[in-house]
């Protein structure tokens, strides 16, 4: 990763945090005995905007996101950065995002990346 990739890495981390918060809300509903809430209109619109933004990225931008997700996942340290459960959850989300971004990079580049 290069210094000019900073904005893409920041966006990746913001997306990761948003996904973790969505998961946390669902877990709280299930733990409280309430059925998990279905995504409301607002959540669906937000998800559609995120997907549209991702689809608008260039193949190399997707590759940067995938590389950044793998790097952050590998560098997370429990207990220094966070607890073990939180680190496990964040690594899982980051690796899913890396896989998603790699797939998009590959498809948008015609299999070149």
């Amino acid at each position: 990763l290069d210094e000019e990739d900073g904005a893409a890495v920041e966006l990746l981390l913001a997306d990761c945090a948003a996904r973790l918060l969505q998961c946390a809300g669902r877990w709280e509903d299930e733990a409280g005995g309430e059925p998990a809430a279905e995504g409301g209109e607002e959540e669906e619109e937000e998800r559609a905007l995120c997907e549209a933004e991702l689809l608008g990225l260039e193949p190399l931008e997707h590759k940067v996101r995938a590389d950044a997700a793998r790097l952050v996942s590998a560098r997370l340290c429990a207990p220094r950065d966070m607890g073990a459960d939180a680190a496990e959850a964040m690594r899982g989300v980051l690796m899913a995002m890396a896989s998603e971004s790699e797939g998009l990079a590959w498809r948008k580049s015609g299999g070149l990346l």
Side-chain angles (χ1 to χ4, degrees):
L1 296 172
D2 296 323
E3 195 172 320
E4 66 262 4
D5 298 330
V9 174
E10 190 173 331
L11 180 61
L12 167 86
L13 294 174
D15 290 347
C16 180
R19 289 183 189 198
L20 286 167
L21 289 171
Q22 285 177 337
C23 291
R26 290 188 189 112
W27 290 331
E28 286 174 8
D29 288 345
E30 290 171 5
E34 298 290 322
E38 292 293 320
E41 252 183 67
E42 220 173 271
E43 187 177 318
E44 288 177 27
E45 287 176 15
E46 187 175 322
R47 186 177 301 129
L49 284 173
C50 289
E51 288 174 9
E53 184 176 312
L54 279 178
L55 292 175
L57 295 177
E58 295 297 319
L60 285 176
E61 292 171 305
H62 286 293
K63 181 158 180 6
V64 166
R65 281 177 64 90
D67 291 346
R70 283 199 165 74
L71 177 70
V72 172
S73 177
R75 304 271 311 161
L76 271 179
C77 181
R80 184 193 71 206
D81 296 328
M82 60 185 64
D85 291 341
E88 182 181 355
M90 188 167 183
R91 282 188 195 106
V93 169
L94 285 166
M95 295 309 291
M97 294 175 78
S99 179
E100 176 183 286
S101 290
E102 272 185 346
L104 287 167
W106 187 81
R107 282 191 296 279
K108 290 187 86 171
S109 70
L112 298 176
L113 289 177

